[in-house]
């Protein structure tokens, strides 16, 4: 049971309802995480805008989902692990690629570099070194993409924290965590 009310889209009003309606249209359902965040229209607006902005960014959707499952596993967020595994498959990743990303690995050097960097940011609370950034550049990332990658990490930390701290019920097919937070 969630530690906060899950806002009913049908009973919502104003901007909260408008955003929940957009989410419903995008997913064909209103996932529990969005219903939990909808307790704060400001947070809902911020989160939905961030998903939209990053979705039209320079990093491929598949990479964003691979980063998301890595972060979800590191934070023991079963909700985000389940949701992003499914979204990663829809973005073209194989089940094996998503499992490897969850473990922080990839056979693609550029993806591997992004996962290594994201894992370091999470583990070291954002304390990247010159060498960490240089490794991303050596893998072919531009400064724009490096900043965008950091934005993906930050957005995923927010959603992980919401789902874990508020015990949001998972409404996606479950995926087993590899490691505890």
């Amino acid at each position: 049971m969630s530690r906060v009310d899950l806002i009913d889209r049908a009973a919502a009003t104003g901007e909260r309802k408008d955003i929940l309606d957009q989410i419903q249209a995008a997913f064909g359902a209103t996932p529990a995480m969005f219903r939990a965040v909808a307790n704060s229209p400001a947070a809902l607006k911020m989160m939905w805008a961030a998903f939209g902005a990053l979705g039209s960014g320079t990093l491929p959707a598949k990479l964003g989902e691979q980063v998301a499952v890595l972060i979800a596993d590191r934070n023991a967020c079963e909700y985000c692990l389940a949701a992003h595994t499914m979204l990663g498959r829809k973005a073209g990743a194989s089940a094996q690629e998503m499992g490897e990303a969850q473990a922080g690995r990839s056979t693609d050097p550029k993806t591997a570099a992004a996962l290594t960097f994201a894992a370091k940011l999470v583990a070291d609370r954002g304390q990247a070194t010159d060498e960490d950034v240089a490794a991303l550049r050596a893998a072919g990332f531009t400064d724009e993409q490096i900043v965008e990658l950091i934005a993906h990490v930050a957005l995923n930390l927010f959603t992980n924290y919401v789902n874990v701290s508020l015990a949001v019920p998972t409404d996606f097919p479950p995926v087993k965590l590899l490691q505890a937070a």
Side-chain angles (χ1 to χ4, degrees), residues 112-148:
L115 294 171
T116 298
F117 185 77
K120 178 167 178 44
L121 288 181
V122 172
D124 296 346
R125 298 184 317 234
Q127 300 300 311
T129 64
D130 291 345
E131 292 79 19
D132 298 324
V133 174
L136 285 174
R137 286 193 182 107
F141 286 92
T142 65
D143 286 351
E144 178 180 5
Q145 292 172 322
I146 292 168
V147 172
E148 196 172 305

Side-chain angles (χ1 to χ4, degrees), residues 4-12 16 20 30 32 34-40:
V4 296
D5 289 334
L6 299 180
I7 301 300
D8 180 1
R9 183 180 63 88
R16 180 184 346 225
L20 289 173
T30 310
F34 292 101
R35 295 176 59 212
V37 173
N39 279 283
S40 166

